[in-house]
Amino acid sequence: MSALFSPISLGNLSLQNRIVIAPMCQYSAQDGLPTDWHLIHLGQLAVSGAGLLIIEATAVEPAGRISPQDLGLWSDETEAALTALRRTLRNHSSMPVAIQLAHAGRKGATARPWDGGASVSFGRGGWTTSSASALPFEPEDAPPVEMDANGIARVVKAFRRAAERAQNCGFDCVELHCAHGYLMHQFLSPLSNQRQDEYGGSLENRMRLPLMVFREIRAVLPQGFPLGVRISATDWIEGGWDLEQSTVFAARLKELGCDYIHVSSGGLSPLQKIKPGPGYQVPFAAHIKRETGMTTIAVGLITQPRQAEEIITSGQADLTALGRGMLYDPRWPWHAAAELGACVDAPSQYLRCEPHGVKDLFRKN
């Protein structure tokens, strides 16, 4: 039996296999609301045969978006729209769906990548950003506002309320975004956090806000409801956030009831020096799994079925996630199952497409 296609549980959620579709921003929302694009995009991924689909970074307040076109979950209107989207996906797929709750902090108010990604002016829908310290991401960016006690309390409340709304929407899992240089990561890294109060300085202080947010989310989710965290294991810059600090952070999260760690890297500074290659981030997930016993998701240039299989069979991670690879090949899990001799779910409308010579690829319900 293929290890990649063996079942696993996250909290009380059972997954049929260990392929995760990583959250990928689409920059296609309108005032935080999903559009027809999200239905097309997520619909095809929901029938891909993966074990879990994670919806893109979803802002917990309007000022928490990366771009003006980001998804949000901060109002009755956004909740109703995501509820309708989740209902449609469930009508045609039994695949569990998670939502990643996020706040961009100083990396917000930017244009979509295909529009250049530069800061957006107030007249074009931009806003004043906030962060752990008044340090811009790019030297030419306007400095963010250093968050005071009121700002911190507002963001904590926004995450808590968004987690409540996520349950109302019918999502099966929540992921807290602490990676890629966004607000929680900005508090974690000494490169972006130069505060002199209880939220800055020592590792314990820099972890304070992310751990506080996690506790608030955990408190409003039912017992057994899966809650995970995505982290950047390293800033790829000397003196920044690194693997050892990530391991301490993961251990603390485990104590608080975290169900998994989704291990990525980078995104905190344009000065990062990364040499990407096949599975280049997998050793980070392996280290955290080995040192903490935490269930881990490995991600980063995992593109081949046997590569993913080896990651699981060798114990480097418990699950593997694909992002861009799924965009390029939305049927990647089907092809992996065919190669590894496993079976996957498929819509009844597609059962006739089982390739000649591949027996029992599709699970018969």
Side-chain angles (χ1 to χ4, degrees), residues 345-365:
D345 284 341
S348 298
Q349 296 91 329
Y350 289 178
L351 293 179
R352 290 179 297 170
C353 79
E354 187 174 78
H356 177 71
V358 179
K359 186 178 180 181
D360 297 327
L361 173 60
F362 296 140
R363 188 176 288 109
K364 305 301 188 293
N365 295 320

Side-chain angles (χ1 to χ4, degrees), residues 128-171:
T128 299
T129 62
S130 58
S131 186
S133 299
L135 301 171
F137 177 69
E138 296 276 8
E140 63 271 19
D141 292 342
V145 173
E146 182 173 310
M147 294 175 65
D148 60 13
N150 289 333
I152 288 173
R154 186 195 74 247
V155 166
V156 172
K157 183 179 179 180
F159 271 103
R160 181 187 178 103
R161 185 67 184 108
E164 293 174 331
R165 292 185 184 277
Q167 290 180 79
N168 297 340
C169 292
F171 290 110

